[in-house]
Amino acid sequence: MNRTGTAMHSLPALIRRIQERFEKLEQIGSLGNRREDGFDRPAWSDMETAAMKYIQSAAEKAGMVSTWDGVGNLFLTTPGHGEEFVQVGSHIDTVPSGGNYDGAAGIVCGLEAIIPLKPMWERLNRKLQLVLWRGEESASFNAVCKGSGAAFGVCNPDILKHTNRDMSLYAAIQAQGFDPSFIAEKKATLGPEQKKKIASYIELHIEQAKRLETDGIPIGVVSSIRGTVRLRVEVSGEANHSGGTPMGIRYRKDANLAIAYMQVGIHEACSYAIEKGSDLVQTAGIVNIDGDFNKKHPLVYANSLTKVSPYGYFALDIRSNNTAFLTDYVKDIKKIIQERAKRFNVEVKITEILRLAPVEKLDPAIQHSIEASCRDLKIPFIEMPSGAIHDAALVAGQGIPAGMIFIPCRGGISHNPAEYASPEDLARGSQILSNVLYRLAR
Ligand SMILES: [Zn+2]
């Protein structure tokens, strides 16, 4: 026991156990024989389920009790007293050709934060619960935080029609033995009574940037989470002969050219906003190449080297940690797009795919607990915002006190087979997490 009463296992033993857990996970959804070959564990796939079951069996061996909710989120709970829970959660799905640490770090560290507290479980006033959310990554089914969203009944039912490798989300949920009607009917898998029992929620995650590594700081205490607005902009022009058609908008309705000018316009708006001091990032990650979307919009294939472009589209992901700014900025962006469409004599359709409000301030009491734990264990930390969305944002959106801990990842690289977090950094994160859980549950 250390002076806060937490049972701390020796660091080398913790490092060894964490390493073993990751070695087991490396065998699930691996794209080759080595970690560097990358991973593929899409939402509601056999691989995601297998990874969840591995953690389930490890938790059960340690004496925890498991329950699956209606859509297949997994809850692993310590026996003990008290009606309330302190949750620690994350996800275990990956992007295609992703790494083994985005999400899984939070699950493994969460498990290895709860197990060392075993001598205390019965003495705590709240139970500890490890939550494995399904399908956090947008890469499958084009929607973010699907499992945590379903738990609280906030997923847009339209996402059930979204496909991944020719399978709809509806079918994928059924194929894993769960019930998509929760999402279809916006019915929370966690009822109001269960939700009330969640006293606090913490998520540990790799930073997915390189500030911690660069500054040599092992722990980031997350203060805010950027929200996002995602748009799909479809532009319709008119096909015509590239040689015969004179230049100028009297003759040409060139969709691809209009898209290029739209992108320049919105990039300039972004640079201007940042210069003025706003928190903002934006990315046009897709231009005409979304395979599933193209199946339903085959006109994109009518584009050719010798044609004025009849149709094109791009997707835009805009993020900020300031709600009011994000709302106004998106309005401005839509105006710029409309103006460029007019200038190039093309039609434009803007569809909002997703709007997720920022968490401007994560729970201050949890933040203090994390900082106090760092001081306790003499581990340096800094306060920092999260650029990426995490399940913690969905939980915080429900009014549940939520906090996040970042640990370094090598080179800041994520969503890439080269993604890596060292067992030492993971173990330090796990120790902090353990200490925080004890503080929140005692
Ligand atoms: Zn993640």
Side-chain angles (χ1 to χ4, degrees):
M1 306 276 167
N2 71 358
R3 68 187 163 89
T4 58
T6 36
M8 305 305 290
H9 288 193
S10 81
L11 188 61
L14 181 61
I15 290 174
R16 216 168 35 243
R17 278 203 311 278
I18 286 175
Q19 240 163 341
E20 281 166 19
R21 303 256 185 248
F22 275 99
E23 279 162 17
K24 287 266 166 51
L25 283 175
E26 275 171 22
Q27 293 159 21
I28 306 172
S30 169
L31 294 170
N33 298 320
R34 302 162 313 149
R35 187 180 65 233
E36 297 77 27
D37 294 324
F39 295 85
D40 191 22
R41 291 196 292 261
W44 283 278
S45 66
D46 292 347
M47 282 77 74
E48 185 192 41
T49 301
M52 292 172 91
K53 284 189 172 163
Y54 161 62
I55 299 293
Q56 179 186 22
S57 74
E60 284 176 350
K61 254 182 229 154
M64 295 165 79
V65 178
S66 61
T67 19
W68 298 82
D69 74 357
V71 296
N73 295 308
L74 175 59
F75 300 82
L76 301 159
T77 314
T78 58
H81 311 288
E83 285 287 288
E84 292 186 336
F85 301 99
V86 177
Q87 286 187 335
V88 47
S90 195
H91 62 98
I92 209 150
D93 63 324
T94 72
V95 297
S97 199
N100 198 25
Y101 297 89
D102 173 357
I107 300 294
V108 172
C109 291
L111 183 66
E112 290 303 338
I114 293 175
I115 291 176
L117 291 172
K118 189 165 180 177
M120 315 292 298
W121 287 356
E122 297 283 351
R123 275 183 272 162
L124 295 172
N125 288 318
R126 290 169 172 151
K127 290 175 186 142
L128 306 175
Q129 191 171 62
L130 177 64
V131 189
L132 283 75
W133 302 113
R134 285 271 177 180
E136 189 268 354
E137 299 289 356
S138 305
S140 28
F141 305 107
N142 216 340
V144 75
C145 297
K146 299 170 282 292
S148 51
F152 299 114
V154 297
C155 282
N156 183 339
D158 289 349
I159 67 170
L160 289 171
K161 287 181 255 164
H162 293 188
T163 52
N164 188 45
R165 293 160 221 193
D166 289 330
M167 194 186 228
S168 71
L169 176 57
Y170 193 98
I173 293 174
Q174 280 189 326
Q176 294 305 314
F178 298 99
D179 183 1
S181 71
F182 282 98
I183 296 177
E185 293 160 24
K186 284 195 126 185
K187 193 169 69 193
T189 67
L190 298 180
E193 281 306 308
Q194 282 165 291
K195 198 170 101 177
K196 246 196 284 172
K197 290 180 187 165
I198 308 169
S200 35
Y201 174 90
I202 316 165
E203 184 164 347
L204 177 144
H205 207 281
I206 57 168
E207 184 195 355
Q208 304 180 290
K210 56 180 169 189
R211 192 168 154 203
L212 292 175
E213 186 187 67
T214 308
D215 296 353
I217 307 273
I219 294 289
V221 182
V222 181
S223 51
S224 64
I225 303 176
R226 278 182 179 143
T228 181
V229 176
R230 295 180 189 171
L231 306 175
R232 186 184 295 110
V233 180
E234 290 174 78
V235 179
S236 300
E238 189 176 71
N240 218 329
H241 196 286
S242 65
T245 317
M247 298 306 288
I249 62 155
R250 278 194 296 153
Y251 308 106
R252 287 179 178 235
K253 296 180 179 177
D254 189 333
N256 279 345
L257 182 65
I259 285 174
Y261 273 83
M262 285 171 186
Q263 294 219 8
V264 171
I266 58 188
H267 175 67
E268 282 170 354
C270 177
S271 305
Y272 181 74
I274 290 169
E275 249 169 60
K276 292 270 170 201
S278 298
D279 177 72
L280 176 66
V281 287
Q282 78 182 19
T283 309
I286 290 176
V287 183
N288 294 351
I289 50 133
D290 182 335
D292 281 332
F293 185 78
N294 289 359
K295 274 182 204 145
K296 286 173 220 135
H297 301 79
L299 192 59
V300 75
Y301 296 116
N303 286 308
S304 124
L305 181 64
T306 54
K307 274 164 98 171
V308 175
S309 162
Y311 176 79
Y313 64 88
F314 63 100
L316 188 65
D317 171 38
I318 305 166
R319 302 188 192 211
S320 172
N321 64 18
N322 182 317
T323 310
F325 165 76
L326 186 60
T327 308
D328 289 345
Y329 180 76
V330 170
K331 279 186 200 152
D332 291 345
I333 288 301
K334 287 179 178 172
K335 266 186 228 154
I336 291 169
I337 291 169
Q338 303 281 7
E339 185 276 324
R340 295 292 200 275
K342 213 163 157 193
R343 198 196 294 180
F344 288 92
N345 201 18
V346 293
E347 299 293 323
V348 67
K349 180 180 159 198
I350 305 174
T351 311
E352 206 169 287
I353 306 168
L354 175 76
R355 182 177 285 256
L356 206 63
V359 180
E360 293 188 348
K361 190 96 196 75
L362 281 161
D363 187 68
I366 295 182
Q367 224 168 298
H368 287 145
S369 294
I370 301 169
E371 292 170 3
S373 298
C374 289
R375 286 192 201 99
D376 229 18
L377 300 173
K378 300 191 171 42
I379 296 175
F381 64 90
I382 45 168
E383 192 183 296
M384 63 195 305
S386 169
I389 294 166
H390 299 286
D391 291 301
L394 271 282
V395 179
Q398 293 298 308
I400 295 165
M404 282 198 80
I405 298 170
F406 275 171
I407 59 163
C409 55
R410 189 170 60 196
I413 291 169
S414 183
H415 285 195
N416 183 317
E419 183 181 278
Y420 179 73
S422 75
E424 292 75 18
D425 282 334
L426 290 158
R428 257 195 298 257
S430 187
Q431 284 184 317
I432 297 290
L433 202 47
S434 205
N435 200 296
V436 174
L437 289 177
Y438 174 77
R439 282 166 190 276
L440 297 173
R442 68 183 162 185

